[in-house]
Every structure is written in structure tokens, then in C-alpha cells.
Amino acid sequence: MYPSPSDSQVLAILAKHRLPAGSVERVTYEGSVNHVRLVGDVCVRMLKNESYASDLYTEAMAVPAVRAAGVDIPELLAFDDSRDIVEGVVTIYRRVKGLPFAACTGPLDIVTIHQAIGEQIAGWRYGVTQVDDPNQWLDRPEFDDAWVCFERNAERLTTAERKWSESAISRLETAKPGVATFVHWDLHAHNILVEDGKFVSVIDWGDAGWGETAINYQCLRADMLPTLLEQLRDVDHNLVGRCLYGVLSYALNDVHREEDITQPHRNSGHRRWTNLLRLYSQDHPESWKFWLGDPPPG
């Protein structure tokens, strides 16, 4: 673990890259990868642990490509792996106002926010068609194996839930993967910024790369899948099945675990299973009904 940087080191980094100085602020939530400091209209991120360094190299490829496609994500101002001021890799971004979606506590228009997220996904789905990546810094996103997720957590399921899960996985794994498109691969509520109840941006592109489109949706609320997919123009039978495979795998990973009540929009704990149940309570077109099958017990 690299030590927390001093304010003087942060200011030295800004001076090196000819960016304005100012008062150095810490953020409430900074995640596990970077030490994060805010200075004026920039965000300085300094690697915490060398094991995460690959994430920053991935971002250096992904962020410019997504912005070039017209998707409004924070601008990468500097990528510095010289390690001459602090021990880890440094990235500097244009600061964007907003809180992580997971940390928002007031009433929110959940549907409108997810419509906006769906539009963003469509933006890089169709807009990023090629990335110059000579060092192969982009990741290779793929789904978790649903059977592994199930077997790892089967003891927390009832007999009826185990039987239902086995049937659902067997059905959903027959959906054919789509062609590779550009995906985020870590699109959960901590990496979505919201300000004044409105969607602002998607951050943290350290796992991005080429994978099937359905991967974009696996960490999001299962009951919001229809709203999210409305923003695509090529939703087919197999894509629906693959999306459901992803959200089921994700739900099984946390089924019947305690929810974080301090973060009501964090899709974790048993909340993932609850959101899956909500999906089954909705009306769906025939193309969905085959993949959904009977609702889960409970």
C-alpha cells in the first residue's frame, strides 16, 4: 500500500503538469484503487497499491476513446507513470460535480436516471468501434460463471430457491453471446455520479475493454433492465437472455446477505435478489418470457 500523499506532493504534481494550484480537499469516498484529492476544477488520483496499476493503464486507453465517441465522461488531463513525486501512477481528471449514485439518500427519479445510464451505454456501444491499443492495456471483460456463483452461495438458498436457480441457469446459458462491443465492466452505483437528483456521468474505466454488450448491465438493478435496454436499437432474443444471465449471476453472489441501509441505491446484499423479484412482477414482451420462465419462489 502506497502512503497517503501530502498536500505538498499533490501541489507538486499539479505544478509539473502546469495546472493551477489551490486548496487540497479529500473526498468522502475514494474507493480501493486511488488516493483522491480535489483541487479547484481538477481531480488528482494517486495509486494506492501496485496490484491495481493495470486499471490506470486501461483507463488511459478507454477514457479518450469514449469521449471521442461523444459520451460526456470526465476528461483525462494527465497520465503520469514516472513515479517521481509519489510512488504510484498518477492520473488527473477534470473535476465533475456529483455524488456516487450509491451514496445518494434523498428521493430520486430512478427511472429517469436509468434511462440516462442506458443512453450512455448506447453511446459507447455504437460510438466506440476501434481503439488504438498497441500495448494491449484494455481488459478482456467476461461474465462470471453463473454455476460457480450458485455453488459458492447455495447454502444460503432455500431448497425451492436452489431448484429454481438451477433451472434458470440451465435455460439462460443457452443464450448465445453477442459480438464484442466496448463495455465498462464495472458499471455499479459507486461509478455513476448523480447531482441534484439527475444523472451526471460514469467514472472509473479501469476494467473497460471489448466484450459482449450484456456485460454493461450485470451490476445494475435487475428490475431496471427493460428501461436500460430501451436505449439500444439492436436488442435481440439472445441479448435479453445474456443480460438476464448476468444479473442472475450477480444476484446469486450476494443472495441473502445483509444490505447496506446507509446506501439505499447500492445494488448489493439481498437487494440484488429483491430487484430480481421486482423484474418478474413487471409485464414483458414475448421475447422476454421464454428467458424469464417462472418467477423465483418468494
Side-chain angles (χ1 to χ4, degrees), residues 140-156:
R140 294 168 176 78
E142 58 185 19
F143 276 127
D144 289 339
D145 186 315
W147 286 112
V148 172
C149 299
F150 168 72
E151 290 165 5
R152 185 167 55 227
N153 301 290
E155 64 181 19
R156 296 202 309 276

Side-chain angles (χ1 to χ4, degrees), residues 162-195:
R162 286 197 293 271
K163 183 178 179 180
W164 179 88
S165 297
E166 290 172 332
S167 175
I169 295 172
S170 296
R171 180 174 60 256
L172 293 171
E173 68 180 354
T174 66
K176 297 178 181 178
V179 299
T181 65
F182 200 74
V183 299
H184 186 281
W185 203 22
D186 197 25
L187 191 55
H188 54 70
H190 276 119
N191 289 336
I192 296 166
L193 296 183
V194 172
E195 177 75 0

